[in-house]
Amino acid sequence: MTPSLQPDRSLDQHQRPLGVLRLSLTARCNFACPYCLPDGQEPEGLLTLKERLAVVGAAVGLGVTSLRLTGGEPLLNRQLEELVEAAQPLRQQGLGEIALTSNGSLLDLARAQALRQAGLDRLTLSLDGTTAASVAQMAGLGDGARGAEALKRILAAIDHAKAAGFDPACGALKLNAVVVRGRNDDQLLPLAQLARQQGVELRLIEAMDVGTRNGWSPADVMPAAEMVQRVGQRWPLEPLGRAPQGTAQRWRYGDGQGHLAVVASISAPFCGDCNRLRITADGQAYTCLFASQGTDLRPWLRPNPNPSGLSMALDRLWRQRQDRYSEERQMDGSGTVRSAAEMAYLGG
Ligand code: SAM
């Protein structure tokens, strides 16, 4: 039975089913993007591989069809491939796809092949600029030489991913770029050009006010409509809309050279059909990027995973879920939301 046909599938307080699990594998990152501000070290009590599998299994049992592995920088986790492989049997229970979001700087060919072989379906690489200086600035790398090195590695990662079988034409390889007004908005067209040349869909993301330490201000946000207008002036675009429960509004280039997407979390929030559950590297479950509090799952994981207890805890959490913080913020016009967890813990 496919999960969408399950008669007793849990719905939250706004009748939204659970569909996507974003699982962070580490809070650490080898970049220090100022809009994200990751930690240099892990929090106490990181989940083990066995505990993570138990969490994914419970989530799939409750209707999750899509698992996205993230971080921090998930390639810093040496058990990533093992986790992807160990999650494969869950496909029989309804898990449809496993995806990874990474900055790609650690993705060599061997790792890309190992991930593909382990059963990873999709890969999204993050890149916020096409010059050494812009990459250095956006990734918090200090000087241009480190920016140049990072850019070189990420461009190579695109090649490695393609060579390993992540086919961008099937949506198995995409690029994420956060756009911060006044910092890298001059990179919009160069990024779009790079993505078009590579045949990869570019997803332009509005800078979000997640967490408490990234110094976000509404002035940082370039609304998605403006990004689309700027790119569309150079290469005309045709709207495709947003897929149900998707995060991105998609556009097709009029000349047939692929697609562009924008994630308008601030200017056009999409809480209405949000089906995403987020779990941090140390086992805190969050039902919204902007939630002020998480639920500690470790009591159901330690000393040994308790699958039924875990499933009941997640089910209860989901059924109680009321969050629609981005929409509320937009309605009250305050420009701010109550957000306590950092993006580096929640993983985007
Ligand atoms: N390190 C990995 C990476 O760079 O893709 C995975 C984790 S990162 C938190 C996941 C995504 O969230 C990245 O594409 C990143 O650019 C995006 N992100 C981080 N902070 C953000 C913010 N404040 N607003 C919008 N997107 C953000």
Side-chain angles (χ1 to χ4, degrees), residues 135-152:
V135 171
Q137 185 189 27
M138 294 303 287
L141 295 177
D143 61 64
R146 288 183 68 205
E149 179 61 22
L151 178 59
K152 195 171 94 187

Side-chain angles (χ1 to χ4, degrees), residues 115-180:
L115 283 165
R116 189 69 182 169
Q117 230 162 23
L120 187 72
D121 299 294
R122 297 204 290 122
L123 185 54
T124 304
L125 300 177
S126 304
L127 176 65
D128 301 335
T130 61
T131 64
S134 63
V135 171
Q137 185 189 27
M138 294 303 287
L141 295 177
D143 61 64
R146 288 183 68 205
E149 179 61 22
L151 178 59
K152 195 171 94 187
R153 283 168 167 265
I154 300 166
L155 293 177
I158 296 175
D159 291 341
H160 299 326
K162 286 180 183 169
F166 295 96
D167 182 1
C170 308
L173 178 63
K174 293 184 182 172
L175 274 187
N176 267 0
V178 175
V179 178
V180 181

